[in-house]
Amino acid sequence: MRNLVFLVVFFFLSWSLHFRLTNCENVTYDGKALIINGQRKILFSGSIHYPRSAPDMWKSLIEKAKMGGLDVVDTYVFWNLHEPSPGIYDFEGRNDLVKFIKLVEKAGLYVHLRIGPYICAEWNFGGFPAWLKFVPGISFRTDNEPFKLAMAKFTKKIVQMMKDERLFQSQGGPIILSQIENEYETEDKKFGEAGFAYMNWAAKMAVQTDTGVPWVMCKQDDAPDPMINTCNGFYCDYFSPNKPYKPKFWTEAWTAWFNTFGGPNHKRPVEDLAFGVARFIQTGGSLVNYYMYHGGTNFGRTAGGPFITTSYDYDAPIDEYGLIRQPKFGHLKRLHDAVKLCEKALLTGEPHNYTLATYQKAKVYTSSSGDCAAFLSNYHWNNTARVTFNGRHYTLPPWSISILPDCKNVIYNTAQVQVQTNQLSFLPTRDESFSWETYSENISSIEDDSSMSYDGLLEQLNITKDTSDYLWYTTSVNVDPNESYLRGGKFPTLTATSKGHAMHVFINGKLAGSSFGTHDNSKFTFTGRINLQAGVNKVSLLSIAGGLPNNGPHYEEREMGVLGPVAIHGLDKGKMDLSRQKWSYKVGLKGENMNLGSPSSVQAVDWVKDLSKQENAEPLTWYKAYFDAPEGDEPLALDMGSMQKGQVWINGQNVGRYWTIIANGNCTDCSYSGTYRPWKCQFDCGHPTQQWYHVPRSWLMPTKNLIVVFEEVGGNPSRISLVKRSVTSICTEASQYLPVIKNVHMHQNYAELNEQNVLKINLHCAAGQFISAIKFASFGTPTGACGSHEQGTCHSPKSDSVLQKLCVGRRRCLATIPTSIFGEDPCPNLRKKLSAEVVCQPVAT
């Protein structure tokens, strides 16, 4: 019997291997599209970076990507995570690249593996390990032998790992594309001939790895064959590949923009994003990758910079916490469905251009087999257009494209959003606050603990090797007892110039002030009065890195830290220059060196019970407490709004850098129409750039979880709280003349259908919830957005009762309703809409 079982298992495994080997798909391309197993495909892709979420989130994120209509998951490979020291590799936990790719494969999706290994990505050092900077004779991203040797070694290691796991499509796996280098064109022009030589070397090196799938170079117009050059940007309809036999790919369709501490939060209206994608598709594009589809979190010290926020949410269709962001997710899914109905005409037909009016165009694809698809565009920022196409009349909202998969029926318009909006909020999880204990850094002993002394000021990264954000610069100042200010005059002034990124100034162990650079200009000068006593005084400057630079030519050569001049002004003898005198240097903090964030090391010091519930102004203080995991499965975050600046650990895992600096920007109105740039649609001015910090549930145990906070300046730890992120209400908006059909085959006379007085509403709560109340309802001319709706000058008094009857008590409220249900028309001859907001509540158990 045992032998029989063995034979059956052996036969099954042999058959499975044979099936995979004989069903390997060939991946090529032509001027239309990527060709997989002989078939051209229009592909929608989304960037999901595996280390920016916890491994237990990966499966759900990938499934949601598939649900959103994606065909491909795109990810960078993060060299500095995988090779933290030369020849020492890490592919465990969040770094388990193979596991991530296999989950994508299991979901039935393809992978675009962007090896780089330079990635930018607002990631620390652009993805390069810090040790690379200290390789003798190295120069990044140019025709430099030490750099090319290290880059080729890592690239080939990743390719071999994928081959060993049979993950390339040529082996039957999911990887259909790989990328070498990243956005290099602006750099190679600055490097001149050496840049051009390096670019060609990188392309040749990649092709010689023989993956069996095409390689791409993004933003590289002179990429040599067989490389596919691709576009990154907010819009890419203008882009053309450098050879007619290469397809038109958009490797980064930016869903918004990254955030920096002290700046506003960026959002991009989905109407504009969809408009950009439709523009790209109608001009022959066949692959669109959303950067990001799920942005995630820059855990630990992985954020680049300086001052990239710990959140990398990017206003993506799936938010930082793994929740679907509506309406962005749903509106893009409808776009993908509409384009796929046009796929045959787009990939086999020929394009024809027609001018309908000054700002209105038609792009029509027709094939010899009779397939026809049309894109009707209105490029005017403000005006709705009424156009005639093929003898039919169509209404085009401003800055929009209507898609007609049969050249007759509109099934989608980029500006007409027909999916609900989710209102996401942070809610409390527990009534009691944390019970804190404290430990303070001993600033007075810093010079005694210093590892080196030097005459003059040294560059920070050369000393820390990026093992810590912190570097102490300490020197002594001798003050004559006869100084005038000691008898009642003004205190002298210290000026200290730094190349970045932040600095706290301590005089005789007391905080005298702080200064910071910005993301755009990391250099700054501290200027402040200091209380020097007669005799010997200790001047200690704590220089702080806010993430290493991640882009630009020779960025490895950028300096940081206190490089001077440092001087004291206002003494009787004039300026005292401290720049060239002896300074002692100490890397990191005592608490860091003792690894106080770890449960195994937290008892290394004597903690003191913190009985105060008030503002604690003591700088450089560590806090620890224990808590039980909250019930439920909602994503969790720490509300750090009562603190100032520092880092947080949960059970030894570094949540990331926090900083509650107030956002400064131009947070005025946000219109979807008109060209999007990061200075449009800014939010949260006057509030902290980031107040909430993601804590993955997989980091928690049922009880006795350790939280450790290191606060640089001071704050009120009693107000730190653990919160859950939930959908608290959902909204819908339906206009009288929006399309209401599901696909092109249902109605052949949609041009007439969309003039009927019907409204389609589709509201659905999450699993385990139901619609418990109507928060707002108005049929007429309501104004505002989800969470801030108001009745307009025209309003039907029956609005609330209609929605109550249709929706309350249900998990999903899906209905196509005639406008007559609201009774007498409250404003004849005006175009009306229904706006509604409902409350979702958990089902009682």
Side-chain angles (χ1 to χ4, degrees):
M1 182 66 182
R2 183 180 298 173
N3 290 337
L4 178 61
V5 171
F6 174 80
L7 288 172
V8 169
V9 171
F10 177 79
F11 172 78
F12 175 76
L13 292 175
S14 300
W15 178 85
S16 299
L17 180 60
H18 172 76
F19 179 83
R20 192 171 187 191
L21 289 175
T22 56
N23 284 272
C24 298
E25 296 188 11
N26 186 33
V27 185
T28 58
Y29 60 82
D30 65 10
K32 288 276 192 180
L34 204 65
I35 302 171
I36 303 176
N37 204 25
Q39 184 179 359
R40 288 175 178 156
K41 290 181 179 289
I42 289 179
L43 298 169
F44 289 103
S45 171
S47 290
I48 301 175
H49 295 160
Y50 53 98
R52 281 176 158 146
S53 55
D56 74 315
M57 296 172 63
W58 292 347
K59 183 173 182 288
S60 173
L61 294 173
I62 294 163
E63 288 173 348
K64 288 171 182 173
K66 184 175 183 178
M67 186 170 65
L70 297 193
D71 308 288
V72 185
V73 169
D74 167 297
T75 185
Y76 282 126
V77 178
F78 296 77
W79 187 0
N80 55 6
L81 292 185
H82 295 307
E83 195 178 3
S85 300
I88 307 298
Y89 296 99
D90 182 357
F91 291 93
E92 303 295 325
R94 288 203 318 275
N95 302 343
D96 196 339
L97 173 61
V98 168
K99 178 180 177 180
F100 179 78
I101 293 176
K102 287 185 175 181
L103 285 172
V104 177
E105 179 182 31
K106 188 174 182 180
L109 299 178
Y110 297 122
V111 172
H112 179 192
L113 189 66
R114 304 175 71 184
I115 298 175
Y118 168 73
I119 62 172
C120 186
E122 292 71 58
W123 189 262
N124 196 55
F125 225 31
F128 288 156
W131 57 260
L132 193 66
K133 169 183 167 66
F134 303 101
V135 172
I138 202 162
S139 182
F140 287 5
R141 304 179 75 200
T142 187
D143 192 18
N144 172 270
E145 290 304 318
F147 177 76
K148 292 193 297 183
L149 182 66
M151 174 184 166
K153 180 182 176 183
F154 181 75
T155 299
K156 291 173 182 178
K157 179 174 181 63
I158 296 299
V159 168
Q160 193 58 50
M161 283 183 66
M162 300 301 105
K163 286 183 176 180
D164 291 345
E165 298 290 338
R166 308 198 64 80
L167 292 175
F168 287 108
Q169 187 83 64
S170 55
Q171 303 171 292
I175 301 173
I176 57 171
L177 285 172
S178 290
Q179 179 179 301
I180 196 70
E181 252 299 333
N182 188 52
E183 297 183 331
Y184 186 63
E185 185 169 80
T186 55
E187 313 297 320
D188 74 11
K189 287 179 171 53
K190 294 173 183 176
F191 284 116
E193 290 184 5
F196 183 75
Y198 163 71
M199 183 271 293
N200 280 278
W201 167 87
K204 184 178 180 181
M205 181 269 292
V207 171
Q208 287 176 343
T209 61
D210 192 26
T211 62
V213 303
W215 286 84
V216 305
M217 279 184 157
C218 66
K219 295 183 75 171
Q220 190 70 46
D221 286 347
D222 56 356
D225 288 355
M227 288 283 157
I228 304 170
N229 65 303
T230 68
C231 183
N232 293 354
F234 292 114
Y235 308 94
C236 280
D237 48 299
Y238 64 87
F239 167 78
S240 294
N242 60 19
K243 296 290 174 57
Y245 46 80
K246 294 181 182 180
K248 180 172 176 171
F249 288 174
W250 189 0
T251 37
E252 290 187 14
W254 298 332
T255 55
W257 200 237
F258 59 86
N259 298 326
T260 60
F261 285 116
N265 285 301
H266 300 280
K267 298 182 185 298
R268 184 179 183 185
V270 68
E271 298 94 328
D272 176 69
L273 178 57
F275 182 53
V277 173
R279 283 163 56 175
F280 181 75
I281 294 294
Q282 74 167 2
T283 54
S286 58
L287 181 146
V288 176
N289 176 67
Y290 296 102
Y291 189 98
M292 301 292 296
Y293 200 75
H294 163 73
T297 307
N298 293 318
F299 294 114
R301 298 171 52 246
T302 60
F307 301 135
I308 301 295
T309 55
T310 298
S311 170
Y312 199 66
D313 182 83
Y314 231 90
D315 196 35
I318 304 174
D319 80 354
E320 177 184 3
Y321 298 84
L323 298 176
I324 288 174
R325 172 175 277 119
Q326 297 285 29
K328 187 166 273 190
F329 181 93
H331 192 53
L332 293 177
K333 172 179 167 50
R334 293 189 62 244
L335 171 63
H336 305 154
D337 293 343
V339 170
K340 288 302 178 81
L341 288 172
C342 306
E343 186 172 29
K344 188 175 179 182
L346 288 166
L347 296 180
T348 64
E350 294 300 322
H352 306 276
N353 297 308
Y354 301 95
T355 298
L356 305 178
T358 303
Y359 294 95
Q360 292 76 44
K361 315 288 182 185
K363 188 89 168 187
V364 182
Y365 285 81
T366 57
S367 70
S368 58
S369 60
D371 296 292
C372 184
F375 296 76
L376 307 184
S377 308
N378 179 9
Y379 287 89
H380 200 285
W381 289 21
N382 301 314
N383 296 339
T384 298
R386 181 81 164 170
V387 299
T388 301
F389 172 72
N390 279 353
R392 297 183 176 216
H393 300 295
Y394 299 89
T395 299
L396 300 176
W399 200 250
S400 76
I401 291 178
S402 287
I403 299 177
L404 295 67
D406 62 350
C407 289
K408 296 178 183 178
N409 299 305
V410 176
I411 66 163
Y412 182 86
N413 179 273
T414 58
Q416 294 176 329
V417 178
Q418 297 184 57
V419 294
Q420 70 184 31
T421 297
N422 289 355
Q423 192 77 4
L424 291 161
S425 303
F426 290 99
L427 303 175
T429 61
R430 41 187 277 148
D431 295 329
E432 71 276 11
S433 60
F434 294 107
S435 180
W436 296 105
E437 295 178 272
T438 68
Y439 165 77
S440 295
E441 294 276 324
N442 184 1
I443 303 171
S444 61
S445 66
I446 288 168
E447 190 172 25
D448 298 333
D449 298 335
S450 63
S451 58
M452 61 178 290
S453 296
Y454 189 81
D455 290 337
L457 298 164
L458 300 178
E459 197 276 336
Q460 181 167 340
L461 186 57
N462 285 331
I463 301 175
T464 66
K465 304 294 193 292
D466 198 36
T467 58
S468 170
D469 282 353
Y470 303 101
L471 177 65
W472 286 100
Y473 295 72
T474 302
T475 192
S476 298
V477 174
N478 194 12
V479 174
D480 191 309
N482 297 316
E483 280 288 340
S484 301
Y485 78 86
L486 294 173
R487 298 189 298 275
K490 290 183 179 179
F491 286 142
T493 298
L494 175 73
T495 59
T497 299
S498 171
K499 288 287 188 74
H501 303 135
M503 177 168 55
H504 301 310
V505 176
F506 293 86
I507 304 297
N508 297 321
K510 299 295 183 182
L511 181 64
S514 305
S515 286
F516 311 93
T518 66
H519 171 73
D520 296 329
N521 183 13
S522 61
K523 184 177 179 179
F524 63 92
T525 298
F526 169 86
T527 303
R529 301 248 177 218
I530 55 174
N531 184 5
L532 295 177
Q533 303 168 353
V536 177
N537 295 263
K538 294 294 184 185
V539 176
S540 299
L541 310 178
L542 180 58
S543 182
I544 307 159
L548 300 187
N550 52 264
N551 61 9
H554 294 302
Y555 69 79
E556 75 278 12
E557 297 178 5
R558 290 186 205 164
E559 294 180 318
M560 57 187 288
V562 184
L563 294 178
V566 177
I568 297 174
H569 307 266
L571 299 174
D572 291 345
K573 293 183 179 181
K575 183 176 77 171
M576 179 187 291
D577 189 352
L578 308 182
S579 304
R580 297 184 181 278
Q581 68 181 49
K582 180 171 285 187
W583 290 81
S584 63
Y585 297 87
K586 180 178 183 297
V587 175
L589 307 163
K590 281 190 175 182
E592 275 187 306
N593 295 331
M594 290 185 288
N595 198 19
L596 288 187
S598 169
S600 62
S601 308
V602 72
Q603 301 304 334
V605 299
D606 293 326
W607 295 84
V608 177
K609 191 76 172 175
D610 182 17
L611 300 177
S612 70
K613 299 293 182 181
Q614 306 299 319
E615 185 80 15
N616 187 339
E618 192 69 28
L620 305 189
T621 299
W622 295 79
Y623 300 88
K624 82 172 175 75
Y626 292 93
F627 66 97
D628 295 341
E631 296 180 353
D633 59 1
E634 301 95 337
L636 300 175
L638 283 169
D639 183 346
M640 301 298 294
S642 64
M643 306 301 282
Q644 292 195 52
K645 187 176 183 297
Q647 296 182 46
V648 188
W649 292 260
I650 299 287
N651 291 330
Q653 301 267 19
N654 192 331
V655 172
R657 303 181 181 102
Y658 71 85
W659 193 11
T660 56
I661 186 172
I662 299 301
N664 182 36
N666 180 24
C667 296
T668 55
D669 58 332
C670 175
S671 171
Y672 80 85
S673 63
T675 302
Y676 179 83
R677 291 293 184 263
W679 55 81
K680 284 186 66 175
C681 298
Q682 298 183 350
F683 289 83
D684 300 321
C685 297
H687 301 278
T689 302
Q690 185 176 352
Q691 180 173 340
W692 295 279
Y693 295 79
H694 182 204
V695 178
R697 274 195 177 263
S698 59
W699 290 7
L700 301 185
M701 303 176 293
T703 60
K704 204 171 174 57
N705 294 283
L706 172 67
I707 175 174
V708 174
V709 175
F710 172 68
E711 170 58 47
E712 296 175 13
V713 183
N716 187 349
S718 69
R719 291 171 55 195
I720 296 174
S721 62
L722 188 67
V723 296
K724 59 184 179 182
R725 185 161 172 83
S726 302
V727 177
T728 51
S729 63
I730 55 179
C731 303
T732 190
E733 192 169 280
S735 295
Q736 285 179 282
Y737 306 128
L738 291 182
V740 294
I741 59 176
K742 292 184 179 179
N743 61 62
V744 73
H745 305 294
M746 290 179 60
H747 294 280
Q748 295 302 315
N749 295 303
Y750 173 66
E752 289 77 28
L753 179 65
N754 73 347
E755 297 297 329
Q756 299 299 312
N757 290 325
V758 292
L759 300 168
K760 182 178 181 180
I761 58 172
N762 186 354
L763 293 162
H764 56 277
C765 297
Q769 295 185 327
F770 72 99
I771 297 172
S772 60
I774 307 298
K775 195 171 182 179
F776 177 88
S778 178
F779 175 64
T781 57
T783 61
C786 189
S788 59
H789 282 125
E790 293 182 356
Q791 291 181 11
T793 55
C794 169
H795 167 72
S796 169
K798 290 189 176 182
S799 302
D800 191 81
S801 61
V802 168
L803 267 291
Q804 287 275 357
K805 186 175 181 180
L806 286 172
C807 300
V808 172
R810 303 170 182 264
R811 183 199 164 201
R812 183 166 190 170
C813 183
L814 174 62
T816 301
I817 56 177
T819 57
S820 59
I821 197 172
F822 295 100
E824 184 177 350
D825 191 336
C827 42
N829 303 320
L830 277 182
R831 177 172 291 187
K832 294 169 285 296
K833 65 180 180 180
L834 170 66
S835 292
E837 180 174 357
V838 303
V839 177
C840 292
Q841 184 175 311
V843 175
T845 56

